[in-house]
């Protein structure tokens, strides 16, 4: 028997209970799941963008959620770490090292996830250094296309802002840099996750779990997200702000 079937069986009773006590993030999941359909056929392709100074939890949490989603969803999920330039080892904000095998290829993705890290430490590697260099913001600006959801969390949202992707659009980021995001033209919402269709943003650090769980609900269905919550022993928290249907 496929592991996916076994895991579904163990979470079936829990799913009903979780649905009955839904948080605000769960309350609008059904509408979101039908509002932005995923690519028809084939696996859901998720690319997590890596750069020097990236915050560890910012990239690990979404990577694990999307990778484990394959066990709960009818549709397959492929998750990659990607980086600009050649395959290389990326050093995180706290010294961890991740070897990234895949190059930047947004045309091969359905979802991009941009973590944060290093925005407030402007002398160190991280978001601020990437903004100053300009290569990644330009690549993000050029990546936007129909069928691609660009998402970011924590100070990674400031990379999207530098790319011009949040200007005039509902968004959020780490609470310490919301004022910067607003000054740069973002329409900041007081929510854990802000879903504006092809642009999905989230707050600081641990909200990477909520961002990924929300996108799993939206793209792969509520059963997959509920199964993941049971496996991770984590219940999605906070409010998800959603654009009106006519903006999707």
């Amino acid at each position: 028997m496929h592991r996916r079937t076994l895991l579904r069986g163990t979470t079936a009773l829990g799913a009903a209970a979780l649905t009955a006590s839904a948080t605000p993030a769960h309350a609008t999941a059904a509408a979101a799941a039908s509002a932005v359909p995923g690519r028809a056929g084939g696996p859901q392709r998720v690319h997590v963008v890596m750069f020097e100074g990236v915050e560890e939890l910012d990239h690990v949490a979404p990577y694990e959620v999307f990778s484990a989603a394959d066990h709960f969803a009818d549709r397959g999920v492929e998750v990659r770490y990607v980086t600009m330039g050649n395959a290389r080892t990326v050093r995180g904000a706290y010294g961890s090292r991740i070897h990234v095998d895949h190059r930047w290829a947004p045309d091969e993705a359905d979802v991009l996830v941009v973590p944060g890290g290093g925005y407030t430490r402007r002398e160190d590697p991280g978001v601020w250094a990437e903004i100053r260099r300009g290569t990644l913001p330009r690549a993000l600006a050029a990546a936007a296309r129909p069928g691609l959801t660009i998402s970011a969390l924590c100070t990674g949202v400031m990379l999207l802002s530098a790319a011009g992707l949040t200007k005039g659009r509902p968004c959020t980021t780490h609470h310490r840099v919301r004022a910067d995001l607003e000054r740069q033209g973002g329409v900041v919402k007081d929510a854990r996750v802000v879903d504006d269709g092809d642009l999905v943003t989230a707050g600081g650090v641990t909200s990477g779990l909520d961002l990924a769980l929300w996108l799993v609900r939206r793209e792969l269905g509520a059963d997959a997200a509920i199964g993941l919550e049971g496996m991770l022993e984590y219940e999605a928290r906070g409010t998800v702000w959603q654009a009106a249907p006519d903006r999707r």
Side-chain angles (χ1 to χ4, degrees), residues 204-228:
V205 194
T206 58
S207 65
L209 286 164
D210 301 290
L211 173 71
L213 284 167
W214 173 256
L215 286 170
V216 166
R217 279 182 173 269
R218 198 184 83 168
E219 302 294 337
L220 301 172
D223 286 346
I226 291 168
L228 279 165

Side-chain angles (χ1 to χ4, degrees), residues 49-59 91-94 114-131 136 152-159 173-174 177 203-205:
V49 182
M50 298 290 280
F51 50 87
E52 291 295 313
V54 64
E55 188 89 11
E56 278 82 351
L57 191 56
D58 278 15
H59 70 79
R91 183 172 180 174
Y94 293 96
V114 183
Y119 182 77
T120 57
R121 303 182 302 275
R122 297 191 176 185
E123 70 282 1
D124 296 334
V127 168
W128 188 255
E130 295 300 324
I131 291 172
L136 183 51
L153 66 141
C154 198
T155 57
V157 179
M158 302 310 296
L159 283 164
T173 184
H174 191 286
V177 297
V205 194

Side-chain angles (χ1 to χ4, degrees), residues 149-151 160 165-166 169-171 194-201:
T149 296
I150 299 179
S151 69
L160 303 192
L165 297 175
T166 59
R169 298 191 65 175
C171 53
V194 175
D195 183 342
D196 194 35
D198 60 356
L199 177 72
V200 184
T201 54

Side-chain angles (χ1 to χ4, degrees), residues 4 8 37-45 69-78 110 219-220:
R4 187 180 300 162
R8 279 209 194 104
R39 182 175 59 97
Q44 182 79 8
R45 304 167 300 173
D70 187 60
H71 301 308
F72 298 95
D74 292 326
R75 183 181 179 187
V77 183
E78 291 180 355
D110 302 304
E219 302 294 337
L220 301 172

